[in-house]
Amino acid sequence: MNGVLERVIENWLDKATETSFQQPFCYMLSAEGHTIIHSTRHSASELGKDIITIDSDGTPCAFQLKTGNITLKKWQNEVSRQIDSLVVGKIVHSSVETSQHHKSYLVTNGNITEEVSFDIKGRNETWSNQDQSYLRLRTIDRGELFEKAKKLGTKLWPSELTDIKTLLEMFLESGKGILPKQKLASLFESTIPLKFLKNGKAPSQKRCSRSIASAGLLCAIAISSFSNQNNHVAEIEAWIMYIAYMLALAERWHLSKNVYKSELEIATQFLYASLANLCDEIKDRTDLIEGNPLADSYVYRIRITWLLGLMSIYALWRSSKGEPKDETDDFLSEFCKEKRIQLKLWGEAAIPQILAFFWYYRKINATRKPDDFLRNLISSICIYNGPKGGGLLAGPYYEAEDILPYIFGINEVPLMDSFKGESYALEGLVHLYTRRNWKQTMKGLWPGITRLASISFKPENFCDFYRWRNKEGTVKVVFPQHTQDWEELKALSFESEGSCIPPTIKDDPILVLLFLCVYPHRMNAEIIRWLDTQIKDIPRP
């Protein structure tokens, strides 16, 4: 393994917290043939089992994860109390055969002292002498973790210096800022085999499976600084991108879902947990200001818009999973109602976030207010990018940090692109409003709508749909008719096949919505209509 990469792994093992340690370890297990069936981000998990897997031999395994050295004091005061539950208590999970006892592992990114090792050996001998040899605690410490990482590295990880350089740059980020998505995409592009091999053959399913686990491990290590800073938004974005590249590989080589099912479930579980942790953080904070209040005022509403989108998605996800209603749902409802007046349409990349809020708002408010909100959104786009507007409502390829200098007039060089007379989101929003049957109001909006061309980009294939940037595809430009038959418009508005959505993600509308929030440049009217139809079936919270 390249020496630089070895030092990255050593540094990660030194600094890993319980949140940034667990995810990479899951992908190490996955690469070794384990099927992950449960993973919790809370170290003091119920029944002492942080991770539950089925190994390559079909044997259930349970892992308790700790960070730092396991000294005798730490063992006596904290760890040993959980070990009996870990080893003796049966795994209670629908995917585990309860008649077969599990293997138990204590894992730490530190070292286990000699006194603790002696105590563990004594416990194992006691169980064996009592004809309970099936009860045994195995340990994995820093040295073994490092050797696992080295072994994986020689088989899986990219060896080119540019890849290691990107990993190192991400690893050394402060973790407090915005996720460098282009760098992360570059890391995935070099790890996931989306092209034919040098011999002209497609990669085997086994190689694809290894690369998926490898990419997950790399992703977790690359964003560990963000995890250590509890930057949940960056974590959510990173794991959405990981899922996207995993599904790109599945589409490219027509993989069976069994090849990537375990890794997809790990990442999905982590996304749900990250949203829950973000919700808890918002609950506990007295305000949502970051750093200097005066400087933060420029980006505060942009942050609120993102948080409203994520919390709306979390609320919808909870409802779709059938979670029992509790105080979390009450908080989410009040938070979204209270903060909605602070939403900011800073660019079309914010539209998926705003739509997530709109769909949730309709679930918790049965009046016409959500529809009026949608009408105002349509009107704002027409004004901003219409003939008399400033044309600064940037397209979805521009992120907030790209366009903010131009919004506030502090840019050093002029913006080369003009957005006047065009919109990527307007057509889909018009269709949503038409679905609500506001015919007379639409008549008033229509002249402004006809002054903007609706633009969309369709990638050449489903694989490219998931890639961060892709030039292969078709740009479609539609100019609305100056006069439009209402029934024809309704017929188009209610079409909801979503044929442009890849089948690998189409069975999970919440995941599609999260994907669109991170990849707003994949937004088009067809996807918006499909999501509207799917989310309509989610029960009210």
Side-chain angles (χ1 to χ4, degrees):
M1 187 196 297
N2 186 288
V4 175
L5 188 51
E6 286 192 12
R7 289 196 293 274
V8 171
I9 300 302
E10 285 183 312
N11 205 322
W12 163 66
L13 287 171
D14 286 339
K15 296 181 179 179
T17 64
E18 290 175 352
T19 55
S20 63
F21 173 47
Q22 185 165 342
Q23 195 76 353
F25 183 69
C26 281
Y27 285 105
M28 285 184 184
L29 292 174
S30 181
E32 292 178 345
H34 286 252
T35 300
I36 313 294
I37 61 175
H38 176 76
S39 174
T40 173
R41 294 189 67 182
H42 303 290
S43 60
S45 58
E46 188 177 2
L47 304 179
K49 301 171 180 66
D50 291 328
I51 301 172
I52 301 171
T53 74
I54 304 293
D55 70 12
S56 56
D57 296 327
T59 305
C61 302
F63 299 82
Q64 175 65 223
L65 270 60
K66 296 296 178 186
T67 54
N69 295 331
I70 308 295
T71 62
L72 184 60
K73 182 178 179 181
K74 185 173 182 178
W75 171 260
Q76 293 173 338
N77 295 342
E78 177 188 342
V79 182
S80 63
R81 297 198 303 269
Q82 298 173 2
I83 291 304
D84 285 338
S85 295
L86 172 68
V87 178
V88 178
K90 287 188 175 182
I91 294 175
V92 181
H93 195 282
S94 58
S95 299
V96 177
E97 174 56 54
T98 55
S99 63
Q100 182 181 15
H101 203 77
H102 59 273
K103 296 177 182 177
S104 301
Y105 295 85
L106 171 64
V107 186
T108 179
N109 66 332
N111 297 308
I112 300 174
T113 63
E114 187 175 356
E115 297 93 337
V116 176
S117 297
F118 184 79
D119 193 16
I120 292 172
K121 181 180 179 182
R123 288 174 181 239
N124 288 336
E125 289 176 351
T126 298
W127 284 320
S128 181
N129 293 335
Q130 295 175 349
D131 294 327
Q132 293 179 308
S133 56
Y134 57 90
L135 299 180
R136 183 169 180 267
L137 178 65
R138 300 160 174 85
T139 60
I140 301 175
D141 63 6
R142 176 194 169 88
E144 188 172 345
L145 281 170
F146 185 66
E147 290 304 315
K148 283 178 180 288
K150 286 176 66 176
K151 183 179 179 182
L152 290 174
T154 57
K155 289 183 177 180
L156 305 174
W157 292 0
S159 58
E160 296 86 351
L161 181 60
T162 54
D163 298 318
I164 298 172
K165 179 175 180 290
T166 300
L167 175 64
L168 184 61
E169 287 175 350
M170 289 201 63
F171 181 76
L172 294 176
E173 289 272 346
S174 70
K176 297 179 180 179
I178 296 168
L179 179 75
K181 292 189 274 292
Q182 183 58 58
K183 286 184 179 180
L184 187 59
S186 175
L187 198 61
F188 289 141
E189 291 276 352
S190 64
T191 309
I192 299 287
L194 296 175
K195 298 179 181 179
F196 286 100
L197 304 179
K198 291 181 179 179
N199 59 11
K201 295 182 179 180
S204 66
Q205 293 216 350
K206 185 176 181 181
R207 174 164 180 170
C208 288
S209 177
R210 289 200 306 264
S211 72
I212 290 169
S214 172
L217 181 57
L218 282 173
C219 180
I221 293 174
I223 67 165
S224 58
S225 60
F226 295 90
S227 299
N228 290 342
Q229 292 293 335
N230 291 319
N231 189 337
H232 306 302
V233 173
E235 288 182 305
I236 290 165
E237 290 180 324
W239 290 111
I240 284 293
M241 291 185 70
Y242 168 67
I243 289 173
Y245 273 92
M246 180 196 312
L247 298 181
L249 187 68
E251 292 286 355
R252 180 69 178 90
W253 305 117
H254 310 290
L255 301 180
S256 164
K257 191 168 185 178
N258 290 332
V259 174
Y260 59 91
K261 181 181 177 182
S262 179
E263 289 81 2
L264 179 60
E265 289 179 352
I266 294 171
T268 304
Q269 287 177 16
F270 194 81
L271 278 173
Y272 190 75
S274 295
L275 285 167
N277 290 335
L278 179 60
C279 179
D280 290 341
E281 181 185 339
I282 294 171
K283 278 185 194 177
D284 294 339
R285 292 183 61 155
T286 55
D287 61 63
L288 297 173
I289 296 171
E290 295 287 345
N292 186 300
L294 184 60
D296 192 58
S297 63
Y298 292 101
V299 296
Y300 178 79
R301 289 181 61 191
I302 294 173
R303 182 184 308 114
I304 293 297
T305 302
W306 209 170
L307 292 177
L308 276 170
L310 289 175
M311 289 301 93
S312 296
I313 291 171
Y314 180 47
L316 291 168
W317 202 349
R318 283 177 55 85
S319 185
S320 69
K321 287 168 66 73
E323 298 275 15
K325 186 171 181 178
D326 58 23
E327 65 276 2
T328 298
D329 298 284
D330 295 333
F331 168 78
L332 290 167
S333 176
E334 290 305 311
F335 175 77
C336 289
K337 289 176 181 177
E338 176 190 343
K339 297 296 183 182
R340 67 182 176 83
I341 60 173
Q342 296 177 335
L343 280 162
K344 184 173 180 63
L345 180 60
W346 55 265
E348 290 201 291
I351 295 291
Q353 303 164 19
I354 294 171
L355 277 175
F357 165 76
F358 164 73
W359 281 313
Y360 175 57
Y361 191 31
R362 292 198 88 241
K363 298 287 185 185
I364 59 176
N365 190 317
T367 70
R368 63 173 288 172
K369 285 185 178 181
D371 292 350
D372 290 344
F373 171 84
L374 181 58
R375 177 203 64 205
N376 293 337
L377 184 58
I378 293 171
S379 179
S380 296
I381 294 174
C382 293
I383 292 170
Y384 289 146
N385 282 4
K388 297 182 181 180
L392 265 183
L393 188 62
Y397 288 91
Y398 282 80
E399 298 194 69
E401 63 269 27
D402 301 324
I403 203 66
L404 272 177
Y406 303 97
I407 293 176
F408 296 119
I410 57 175
N411 53 298
E412 295 182 357
V413 294
L415 182 64
M416 301 304 294
D417 292 334
S418 173
F419 311 105
K420 186 173 288 189
E422 64 182 45
S423 171
Y424 282 78
L426 184 59
E427 183 182 19
L429 300 178
V430 167
H431 291 167
L432 295 194
Y433 198 63
T434 302
R435 284 182 167 208
R436 274 73 193 174
N437 209 31
W438 295 105
K439 181 177 180 180
Q440 294 306 315
T441 310
M442 183 61 77
K443 281 184 178 181
L445 292 170
W446 196 253
I449 293 168
T450 61
R451 296 187 179 101
L452 272 68
S454 291
I455 303 176
S456 60
F457 176 79
K458 184 177 181 180
E460 195 170 284
N461 52 62
F462 284 145
C463 168
D464 291 337
F465 177 89
Y466 291 117
R467 299 173 75 176
W468 180 243
R469 291 291 185 263
N470 169 59
K471 295 180 180 179
E472 302 297 324
T474 305
V475 177
K476 183 180 179 182
V477 181
V478 176
F479 291 90
Q481 302 176 43
H482 288 288
T483 58
Q484 173 68 57
D485 180 79
W486 178 248
E487 294 303 320
E488 288 181 1
L489 183 59
K490 282 181 66 176
L492 176 58
S493 299
F494 279 95
E495 187 283 326
S496 57
E497 289 298 316
S499 59
C500 68
I501 304 171
T504 42
I505 199 174
K506 204 171 181 180
D507 61 349
D508 194 337
I510 296 296
L511 199 54
V512 174
L513 181 53
L514 272 168
F515 169 82
L516 212 59
C517 285
V518 180
Y519 284 68
H521 46 287
R522 295 290 176 253
M523 168 178 54
N524 61 43
E526 191 175 358
I527 296 176
I528 290 173
R529 293 195 304 265
W530 181 86
L531 276 170
D532 188 59
T533 299
Q534 298 297 314
I535 292 173
K536 183 180 179 182
D537 294 334
I538 295 177
R540 293 181 182 273

